Amino acid sequence: YLSVSEPVAVLKAPEVWGALRGLETFSQLVHEDDYGSFLVNESEINDFPRFAHRGVLLDTSRHYLPLKTILTNLDAMAFNKFNVFHWHIVDDQSFPYQSIYFPELSDKGAYSSNLIYTPADVRLVIEYARLRGIRVIPEFDTPGHTQSWGKGQKDLLTPCYNGQQPTGSFGPVNPVWNTTYDFMTMFFKEISSVFPDEFIHLGGDEVDFSCWKSNPEVKEFMKKQGFGTDYAKLESYYVQNILDIVSSYNKGQMVWQEVFDHKAQLKPDTVVQVWMANNYAHELSSVTGAGLTAILSAPWYLDYISYGQDWKKYYSVEPLKFSGSEKQKKLVIGGEACLWGAFVDATNLTPRLWPRASAVGERLWSSSNVTNLQDAYKRLRHHRCRMLSRGIAAEPVFVGYCAHEA
Amino acid sequence: AENEPSWETPCTELLVYISTPGCDGFPSLDSKENYKLSVSKGSMLLSAETIWGALRGLETFSQLVGRDENGMYYINETEIVDFPRFPHRGLLLDTSRHYLPLRAILETLDVMAYNKFNVFHWHIVDDPSFPYESSTFPELSKKGAFNAMTHVYTASDVRTVIEHARLRGIRVIAEFDTPGHTLSWGPGAPGLLTPCYVGKTPSGAYGPINPIVNSTYKFVTSLFQEVSTVFPDFFLHLGGDEVDFTCWKSNPEIRAFMTEMGFGEDYKKLESFYIQRLLDIVSSLGKGYIVWQEVFDNDVKLRPDTIIHVWKDNNMQYVKEMANVTRAGYQALLSAPWYLNRISYGQDWIQAYKVEPLHFEGSPKQKALVMGGEACMWGEYVDVTNLTPRLW
């Protein structure tokens, strides 16, 4: 609640997180006149977010992102009332997370020895985020997307076979060995204590079954378990074990939609992230229909650049436009704008993310009837200039200029 | 230690020999950019006919130098004979849709040099803004710039760009695009643009430059007189693209003129009428010109040394256009497949790389008329925040 009048303006909030949002709004109400005086109009505002989970995903595996880039981005997120930083920290290409229990993971898996996040770096990010009311949810994506893990952890990944011979290459995490689960138990013990948020994202997307199918031990295991030739069952078997491990550390879990689609047994408070663009409304119906919470990312893959004002299509998304009951719709707790890193690093991150992500930010905060594109266009232009003057190199919305250029 | 490489005599000197010395001139379309680079133990020699070739050779030399894990700089024995395939290798920046601060332009010139580009096509003014500070017509930027104090290029700024470019062997070709793309010229030059009409009354809106009044040609003569002096390159880009005829058609005086001239309803003839006179004016100022392809497509009478800039890319129509332009005996520049402002997801550099500029039906004589091409970075969605990573 924000009330601006003479002689004193008042900002009231039940918790400090609300006060942060209110301060951001207040800072946006202040404007400069032609003589350089700062003014604020008499105002009365009662505000609250429509969705509780409003996130931005950054990928620090396809390209390392220096700390400065991450911190600047947290600033920009705060200017746009985002409150979740989904840190997709490791993946196939590199493992920059310096683990305390398993230092070899980054020693052997990072792009190079200086392209890592030390425990101090991680703490810095978490605190910087916290001061802006932003949760940091780390994602350690398994069993797929793990090539870089194999460099520092022998016998973690599945050896692929050609007939009876190992080919020398590796596939997803090996789900049949006990050592896998011993490792994961220790690893997630560390993650659970390093990252204070209640949730950890466990990934589970795009698992390529071909290597599993080639491996004789895995094939043997499939028979023993009675999975037949349904490798989705093996994936679910693995995922369920990881979910149990992580649960035992009192952490909630977020997973990509495949985990749900492949029918793993999920805990009731698991959050499913819907990312596949094809018919995502239908997926939202299914996920919420099964009583699970969902967050939406499918229409907000901001790494998919295209020519022109694409912010409009992000802005026009209505997350609750799917068939379902009121109860189901309540299970959609928000969404995330994703900036995958295949073509992104510190040289182009900020202009690529902003102000396009601002459209997502408003969609997730503002009420469902705030949809007018012409009005949004005017405000977005103004907001972009504001971000520029605050040191965020947000790219232009369209032809024009800002009084204070970059 | 074992296996240490046996370092030869440390190389400390690159000898540069230029047969036609002289560092004070400007590069031109005819400049020779050939060079020879010879690196062997005990001697490194760069030889070129002109300073411009030496600059290209220095760039190559700088790229040959490597650094090992111990921090030692080294260079392999090398023998290079190099020269450009095309003499006009350009980059277009648009400083009207968004103002680009001087540092962005200068930085771009640096990176152009790293990539052996030799023409900076400065699309300096257009509809949205007029940042060029004219000494003859100061009102143009005063009324037409986004902000006349902060979003302009002073005469000194322009000189800085030209010199910064020259030192890198880069020609600066300014484009003052007319008769379309001129909305920002209106506020500072009352009477220049065509008033549009709704029936019998002016609507308050304006269209392209008014081609039927003498004041237009007086203005254009004075402006290009200044521009010809300010920009030393032999060529000026005169634009001539995308002229929207609706406003002309709505204006009763223009309709009367059309009848008078016997142009009928063919407004292309009116456009050509303007362009013809513009080209004559610029010729008489001792400059050559480059024009966008519409000027050729609309059958304007052109001087034989006109360069046609091919930009339309609907379904690879540029291939046909290149054939047509060169068959008519004109030199051509290709930009159509290189509109770098049209971004898309993924490694789009591959499409740009695969373009073969001479892949069109024509005789070798025709193909020899292709001077080169230009990568274009139009500014609708581009300013200093995203220019460099979008371009490179």
Side-chain angles (χ1 to χ4, degrees):
Chain A
Y1 168 72
L2 179 59
S3 166
V4 179
S5 64
E6 286 186 290
V8 144
V10 175
L11 168 60
K12 285 195 205 174
E15 294 181 22
V16 69
W17 317 118
L20 288 176
R21 306 301 167 229
L23 280 170
E24 176 56 41
T25 298
F26 179 73
S27 77
Q28 294 187 17
L29 292 174
V30 177
H31 55 277
E32 209 177 337
D33 72 8
D34 294 331
Y35 303 99
S37 305
F38 290 96
L39 309 163
V40 61
N41 290 350
E42 221 175 305
S43 324
E44 182 117 353
I45 295 176
N46 265 304
D47 199 12
F48 57 91
R50 182 181 176 199
F51 292 103
H53 183 119
R54 306 178 305 282
V56 169
L57 178 152
L58 290 187
D59 166 3
T60 56
S61 174
R62 276 58 179 264
H63 284 96
Y64 179 78
L65 295 177
L67 221 48
K68 180 159 176 244
T69 305
I70 298 178
L71 300 180
T72 301
N73 200 60
L74 288 169
D75 285 341
M77 284 171 65
F79 301 156
N80 290 268
K81 295 193 174 69
F82 277 98
N83 64 358
V84 174
F85 168 33
H86 174 165
W87 194 348
H88 186 90
I89 187 168
V90 299
D91 203 296
D92 281 329
Q93 285 83 356
S94 74
F95 197 106
Y97 173 76
Q98 188 176 57
S99 160
I100 304 153
Y101 289 156
F102 302 100
E104 295 273 289
L105 285 171
S106 61
D107 272 358
K108 301 267 164 59
Y111 277 136
S112 81
S113 53
N114 58 329
L115 298 181
I116 61 171
Y117 302 107
T118 63
D121 292 337
V122 174
R123 275 196 298 274
L124 178 55
V125 170
I126 292 171
E127 178 63 4
Y128 199 88
R130 187 187 76 85
L131 291 172
R132 287 153 183 73
I134 297 171
R135 301 163 52 200
V136 179
I137 300 183
E139 177 185 347
F140 287 90
D141 191 355
T142 70
H145 287 280
T146 44
Q147 289 295 300
S148 66
W149 300 53
K151 305 230 168 88
Q153 186 68 14
K154 292 271 150 293
D155 302 328
L156 177 66
L157 304 183
T158 313
C160 310
Y161 275 70
N162 196 344
Q164 295 298 336
Q165 298 293 4
T167 64
S169 59
F170 298 88
V173 170
N174 195 321
V176 318
W177 289 338
N178 285 332
T179 48
T180 292
Y181 303 103
D182 295 337
F183 168 81
M184 291 296 172
T185 301
M186 279 240 76
F187 185 74
F188 279 104
K189 180 166 181 214
E190 173 183 324
I191 301 308
S192 301
S193 77
V194 167
F195 292 91
D197 196 82
E198 198 198 317
F199 281 82
I200 300 181
H201 200 302
L202 303 174
D205 61 316
E206 300 181 313
V207 184
D208 182 353
F209 296 150
S210 37
C211 184
W212 281 353
K213 285 181 185 173
S214 76
N215 183 297
E217 271 187 78
V218 175
K219 284 199 295 239
E220 185 57 44
F221 186 81
M222 288 287 287
K223 255 206 288 212
K224 267 206 345 236
Q225 294 284 322
F227 290 158
T229 50
D230 189 358
Y231 282 81
K233 294 207 165 98
L234 181 59
E235 178 194 308
S236 299
Y237 166 86
Y238 166 84
V239 168
Q240 273 154 213
N241 281 328
I242 302 303
L243 295 180
D244 285 342
I245 290 169
V246 172
S247 278
S248 74
Y249 297 123
N250 282 319
K251 291 292 191 184
Q253 304 104 38
M254 283 181 58
V255 291
W256 296 108
Q257 69 179 75
E258 287 97 317
V259 173
F260 166 80
D261 296 340
H262 295 168
K263 306 200 187 0
Q265 285 270 29
L266 301 173
K267 316 247 173 273
D269 56 353
T270 309
V271 179
V272 177
Q273 187 158 11
V274 175
W275 70 271
M276 293 173 141
N278 207 2
N279 215 344
Y280 65 83
H282 183 254
E283 182 74 4
L284 284 174
S285 299
S286 308
V287 171
T288 55
L292 294 165
T293 2
I295 59 171
L296 180 61
S297 282
W300 291 324
Y301 264 37
L302 301 198
D303 56 312
Y304 283 158
I305 58 170
S306 59
Y307 181 66
Q309 293 193 56
D310 54 359
W311 70 270
K312 291 184 182 174
K313 75 173 181 222
Y314 303 135
Y315 192 76
S316 303
V317 171
E318 174 35 70
L320 301 189
K321 186 150 159 239
F322 63 91
S323 30
S325 63
E326 279 306 304
K327 202 158 161 240
Q328 271 177 266
K329 310 246 164 150
K330 284 207 173 66
L331 290 171
V332 177
I333 55 170
E336 290 186 358
C338 298
L339 194 71
W340 294 104
F343 302 100
V344 174
D345 74 0
T347 60
N348 62 355
L349 188 145
T350 303
R352 189 163 289 198
L353 232 202
W354 308 99
R356 291 154 79 227
S358 302
V360 180
E362 176 155 303
R363 180 52 52 235
L364 290 173
W365 175 281
S366 298
S367 90
S368 58
N369 61 358
V370 179
T371 52
N372 185 302
L373 279 173
Q374 280 89 291
D375 180 68
Y377 172 76
K378 277 196 227 120
R379 288 181 296 107
L380 185 61
R381 293 192 63 135
H382 189 85
H383 186 56
R384 183 255 169 177
C385 290
R386 176 167 41 227
M387 286 196 279
L388 263 198
S389 62
R390 293 180 182 185
I392 306 295
E395 64 175 11
V397 177
F398 192 49
V399 172
Y401 73 107
C402 295
H404 307 283
E405 299 283 6
Chain B
E2 312 101 25
N3 293 331
E4 240 181 46
S6 63
W7 294 108
E8 308 290 355
T9 334
C11 27
T12 55
E13 211 173 52
L14 172 70
L15 279 167
V16 181
Y17 173 72
I18 301 169
S19 55
T20 322
C23 295
D24 296 336
F26 285 92
S28 73
L29 182 58
D30 313 308
S31 296
K32 295 227 148 307
E33 295 174 285
N34 316 25
Y35 67 91
K36 283 204 181 110
L37 189 54
S38 201
V39 177
S40 59
K41 43 182 172 211
S43 104
M44 302 194 293
L45 176 64
L46 165 60
S47 60
E49 271 181 65
T50 67
I51 180 67
W52 318 118
L55 286 176
R56 305 302 168 231
L58 280 170
E59 177 54 43
T60 298
F61 178 75
S62 75
Q63 293 186 18
L64 290 173
V65 177
R67 203 167 184 199
D68 68 15
E69 325 86 57
N70 303 314
M72 179 100 78
Y73 292 98
Y74 66 88
I75 183 168
N76 289 347
E77 223 173 308
T78 319
E79 199 73 29
I80 294 177
V81 177
D82 198 11
F83 56 91
R85 181 181 178 200
F86 292 104
H88 183 122
R89 306 179 304 281
L91 192 74
L92 178 152
L93 286 186
D94 167 3
T95 56
S96 175
R97 274 61 178 261
H98 283 96
Y99 178 78
L100 291 175
L102 208 57
R103 71 176 197 276
I105 299 179
L106 300 182
E107 182 180 272
T108 301
L109 290 169
D110 286 347
V111 192
M112 281 172 68
Y114 303 156
N115 290 269
K116 295 195 174 68
F117 277 97
N118 65 358
V119 175
F120 168 37
H121 174 167
W122 195 348
H123 186 92
I124 187 168
V125 298
D126 202 300
D127 283 328
S129 75
F130 196 105
Y132 171 75
E133 253 184 18
S134 161
S135 50
T136 322
F137 301 105
E139 291 291 295
L140 285 172
S141 62
K142 243 165 121 195
K143 301 258 167 66
F146 281 137
N147 179 310
M149 298 296 294
T150 55
H151 290 59
V152 289
Y153 302 108
T154 62
S156 160
D157 292 337
V158 173
R159 279 195 298 272
T160 302
V161 170
I162 293 172
E163 179 63 3
H164 195 93
R166 186 187 79 83
L167 291 173
R168 286 152 183 74
I170 297 171
R171 302 162 55 201
V172 179
I173 299 182
E175 177 185 349
F176 285 83
D177 191 354
T178 69
H181 287 281
T182 44
L183 284 179
S184 67
W185 301 45
L192 179 69
L193 302 185
T194 309
C196 312
Y197 274 68
V198 172
K200 297 247 192 295
T201 34
S203 66
Y206 293 89
I209 287 186
N210 193 330
I212 72 174
V213 286
N214 282 333
S215 51
T216 287
Y217 300 100
K218 247 185 114 216
F219 172 88
V220 158
T221 303
S222 301
L223 180 66
F224 279 96
Q225 209 148 38
E226 173 187 322
V227 170
S228 300
T229 335
V230 169
F231 293 93
D233 197 84
F234 175 68
F235 283 93
L236 285 176
H237 201 301
L238 303 177
D241 61 317
E242 299 180 312
V243 185
D244 184 353
F245 296 147
T246 2
C247 186
W248 281 353
K249 287 183 182 169
S250 76
N251 183 298
E253 282 180 52
I254 292 199
R255 282 205 303 272
F257 185 81
M258 289 287 287
T259 320
E260 224 183 279
M261 301 292 292
F263 290 161
E265 287 298 308
D266 190 358
Y267 281 81
K268 284 215 209 122
K269 296 208 163 93
L270 182 60
E271 182 189 333
S272 302
F273 171 82
Y274 166 84
I275 296 273
Q276 205 72 77
R277 289 181 71 168
L278 172 65
L279 298 184
D280 290 342
I281 289 167
V282 173
S283 272
S284 72
L285 293 167
K287 292 291 197 189
Y289 37 77
I290 310 178
V291 288
W292 296 110
Q293 67 179 76
E294 285 96 320
V295 174
F296 166 79
D297 296 341
N298 294 348
D299 296 313
V300 177
K301 261 208 347 265
L302 300 167
R303 257 200 358 212
D305 61 351
T306 311
I307 301 185
I308 311 293
H309 201 158
V310 177
W311 70 272
K312 289 180 165 181
D313 185 20
N314 233 345
N315 254 328
M316 302 272 289
Q317 61 180 178
Y318 71 84
V319 174
K320 262 258 191 73
E321 182 77 2
M322 293 294 280
N324 292 343
V325 167
T326 52
R327 198 182 319 115
Y330 297 108
Q331 291 159 94
L333 285 180
L334 181 60
S335 280
W338 292 324
Y339 265 38
L340 303 191
N341 54 307
R342 296 203 144 258
I343 57 171
S344 58
Y345 180 70
Q347 295 195 55
D348 54 358
W349 69 270
I350 296 178
Q351 282 89 284
Y353 193 77
K354 282 193 176 159
V355 172
E356 174 36 69
L358 301 188
H359 176 63
F360 62 90
E361 300 234 336
S363 64
K365 200 156 164 247
Q366 269 177 263
K367 310 240 168 159
L369 289 171
V370 178
M371 293 293 106
E374 292 187 357
C376 296
M377 185 49 79
W378 293 104
E380 283 85 349
Y381 303 99
V382 174
D383 76 0
V384 70
T385 58
N386 61 355
L387 173 71
T388 301
R390 188 160 292 197
L391 201 42
W392 307 103

